[in-house]
Amino acid sequence: MPFADQAEIGGFAVGEGRTDAASAEQLAQRYRSLVEHTPDAICVHESGTIVYVNPAMVRLLGADSADDLLGLSITVFVHPDSVAAMLDRIDQLTAEGSASPPTDMDLIRVDGRTVPVQTVSVLTVWKEKLAFQVVVHDLTAQRAAEASARQAEAYFTTVVSQLEEGVLVVDRRGRLESINPAGRRILGIEEGGQILGRLIDDLPLTMVDRDGQPLPPGKHPMAHTLATGEVVTGFVFGVERADGHQVWVSCNCRLLNPDSPDSSGVSSFSDITEYRASRRQLEYQATHDALTGLANRSLILSQLSAALADDGGTLVTTVLFIDLDGFKAINDTLGHAIGDTVLQIVAQRLQQALRNEDLVGRLGGDEFLVLLAGHPQRTDLPALVERLRVRMAEPIIASGHRLEVSASVGITELGPHERRTPEAVLHDADLAMYRDKPAAHRELGLGQNRRSNNTHAS
């Protein structure tokens, strides 16, 4: 192809065929404007000597003008570690228009500083001779952003690894992508255990619900988040670990990138085993008598209130109010320590004489209350009460003393559509118990002030 049949623009052959002078000049002007104003640096070297640079290349190399660069060897501005690879790449360009693949390398500025760049070399025609046109893209900002991202990733990786809270990431297929040391510790997974890539349901542990039943895979909060994209917070479940220990955790789950349909899910979870045990202990202490371990007045009233609200159900049908006769004399003559022992033994006997579904409680002093569940026959009640009297009357050995107490029992039954309050039911049972007391005890005024000085129910 004769060079005369091409339009030369800025030194480059840019087309074939004859073009009128006006069109060629217009095209040349557009190309020169593009090359001069492009943000990417462009240079042309012929046999290794720089013959053209655009303003962006002058700025990239830190030169004052293009004249500072023209005539110099291209290798002057290429980092020594990159020269051999560059020469090898351009040696591969033998046909006009052929180009090298984009390649990262380092250039050296006039002031000696290194600049990371990406280059593409094209074999073209420059003023009737073959030359290499090089397009240079400055990677400084990109490398800085990458370095910043790596630093941030390293920072957050360090933070996550130091957390006391467990953190794990699960992909869309339910496979574990990462887990921090705290997560391994909470779940009882050995540090060297190869678990990444495994389905979360195949981990060496069993997840259970609040009732201790195995948690179905679809009920796990992470499965819900991955399926719906919804955030789950404060989900509590148990983990039966491979080492035999059970822990309770509270976890939160969300998508790492809610805007992406392929987003993985992240779960953060904390060990609440001690907190849960402490809370249960506090709940127990708030509802049970410290001396006997029986239900206290608060729990009794709560259970009685629920039974009354049941409106004819089978929660509680009969209330027994039990008071010990002869206990005050023991307390006054032998002291509160022995009195406390008597109360503890009486509490054990009551529990042993009744069914598991019956609630035995201590109101305070030597007063006890029994809530009978179900519908006992009226003919059974006298036999039950007599059995309790006999059991309470059995001798008690405390600190070498042989002691005897008897029990007065008041009975009140809950009828259908009961309208009494729990306090009214207790009052009626108390009156029935007082009427059951031996005359001698009533004459002593014990019915008016029966509470002893022993530890009262909380």
Side-chain angles (χ1 to χ4, degrees):
M1 177 182 61
F3 186 78
D5 291 337
Q6 301 176 331
E8 186 179 53
I9 304 172
F12 301 110
V14 296
E16 296 184 4
R18 296 187 179 278
T19 307
D20 60 76
S23 297
E25 178 59 30
Q26 185 180 31
L27 184 59
Q29 184 61 39
R30 289 177 180 174
Y31 186 81
R32 279 193 296 269
S33 178
L34 174 64
V35 171
E36 294 294 311
H37 294 92
T38 180
D40 281 332
I42 296 176
C43 80
V44 179
H45 62 91
E46 181 182 321
S47 299
T49 301
I50 299 174
V51 296
Y52 171 80
V53 290
N54 71 341
M57 191 67 178
V58 174
R59 292 192 299 272
L60 177 65
L61 295 180
D64 293 330
S65 68
D67 293 337
D68 295 337
L69 306 175
L70 297 180
L72 297 178
S73 172
I74 188 66
T75 57
V76 171
F77 301 102
V78 178
H79 193 280
D81 294 342
S82 301
V83 170
M86 180 196 72
L87 295 176
D88 183 63
R89 284 193 303 274
I90 62 177
D91 283 345
Q92 305 301 316
L93 305 180
T94 57
E96 182 182 345
S98 58
S100 66
T103 305
D104 292 354
M105 58 187 297
D106 291 329
L107 296 184
I108 300 177
R109 289 165 45 96
V110 171
D111 59 10
R113 288 190 296 161
T114 300
V115 183
V117 298
Q118 184 180 76
T119 66
V120 174
S121 297
V122 180
L123 183 60
T124 185
V125 174
W126 171 267
K127 296 183 178 181
E128 303 183 19
K129 295 181 180 180
L130 289 177
F132 296 97
Q133 179 184 8
V134 185
V135 179
V136 184
H137 178 65
D138 188 355
L139 296 179
T140 302
Q142 179 181 328
R143 293 288 174 82
E146 292 171 351
S148 178
R150 287 194 298 271
Q151 183 179 12
E153 182 178 359
Y155 172 78
F156 285 111
T157 298
T158 301
V159 170
V160 170
S161 68
Q162 297 301 315
L163 289 175
E164 289 297 319
E165 189 177 45
V167 179
L168 59 81
V169 177
V170 179
D171 68 15
R172 300 297 300 184
R173 298 176 299 170
R175 299 184 184 278
L176 188 65
E177 291 186 332
S178 67
I179 182 170
N180 70 340
R184 285 179 174 269
R185 184 178 66 253
I186 293 171
L187 300 181
I189 299 172
E190 294 181 0
E191 190 62 34
Q194 298 300 319
I195 59 172
L196 298 186
R198 295 178 60 175
L199 290 172
I200 193 169
D201 295 324
D202 292 338
L203 295 180
L205 51 87
T206 301
M207 289 173 274
V208 298
D209 60 22
R210 292 173 182 264
D211 298 323
Q213 299 301 312
L215 196 66
K219 295 296 184 180
H220 190 280
M222 179 59 79
H224 178 80
T225 294
L226 291 174
T228 66
E230 296 177 358
V231 175
V232 176
T233 58
F235 188 93
V236 175
F237 62 95
V239 176
E240 295 179 353
R241 307 188 329 185
D243 59 10
H245 290 88
Q246 184 182 66
V247 297
W248 290 91
V249 301
S250 175
C251 84
N252 306 316
C253 297
R254 66 181 65 244
L255 295 179
L256 275 173
N257 183 7
D259 296 329
S260 171
D262 299 322
S263 173
S264 298
V266 59
S267 174
S268 59
F269 51 97
S270 55
D271 186 345
I272 61 169
T273 306
E274 291 187 6
Y275 167 77
R276 194 171 187 266
S278 298
R279 182 174 178 180
R280 287 196 166 191
Q281 181 64 22
L282 290 174
E283 290 174 350
Y284 181 87
Q285 293 174 349
T287 56
H288 289 76
D289 174 50
L291 177 64
T292 63
L294 299 178
N296 64 9
R297 184 182 186 88
S298 174
L299 181 56
I300 291 170
L301 290 175
S302 174
Q303 293 294 317
L304 188 54
S305 177
L308 294 172
D310 193 40
D311 195 18
T314 60
L315 292 176
V316 176
T317 56
T318 307
V319 178
L320 306 181
F321 198 117
I322 302 173
D323 185 80
L324 302 182
D325 301 321
F327 177 76
K328 186 175 186 300
I330 294 173
N331 219 32
D332 290 345
T333 58
L334 299 178
H336 294 297
I338 292 180
D340 287 347
T341 300
V342 170
L343 292 175
Q344 290 170 336
I345 293 174
V346 168
Q348 293 172 3
R349 290 178 176 180
L350 282 173
Q351 288 179 304
Q352 293 167 357
L354 295 166
R355 302 166 299 176
N356 291 333
E357 56 266 35
D358 299 325
L359 179 66
V360 182
R362 179 186 175 215
L363 292 177
D366 58 351
E367 296 175 346
F368 298 85
L369 201 75
V370 176
L371 305 183
L372 296 178
H375 290 285
Q377 298 294 322
R378 284 181 175 271
T379 55
D380 294 338
L381 278 176
L384 172 62
V385 171
E386 182 59 27
R387 186 166 71 250
L388 291 177
R389 292 184 196 277
V390 171
R391 191 76 176 90
M392 295 300 100
E394 292 177 1
I396 296 173
I397 306 300
S399 298
H401 299 278
R402 179 185 175 89
L403 308 172
E404 293 184 2
V405 294
S406 59
S408 297
V409 182
I411 305 172
T412 185
E413 297 182 73
L414 305 184
H417 310 298
E418 185 66 65
R419 292 294 179 265
R420 286 178 294 176
T421 65
E423 291 78 5
V425 172
L426 259 63
H427 176 71
D428 291 344
D430 188 10
L431 291 178
M433 180 277 299
Y434 181 61
R435 289 192 295 269
D436 184 61
K437 272 190 173 294
H441 287 279
R442 292 202 297 271
E443 291 171 359
L444 290 173
L446 297 180
Q448 298 176 2
N449 185 16
R450 292 187 301 277
R451 291 185 182 270
S452 73
N453 292 325
N454 289 64
T455 305
H456 285 198
S458 57

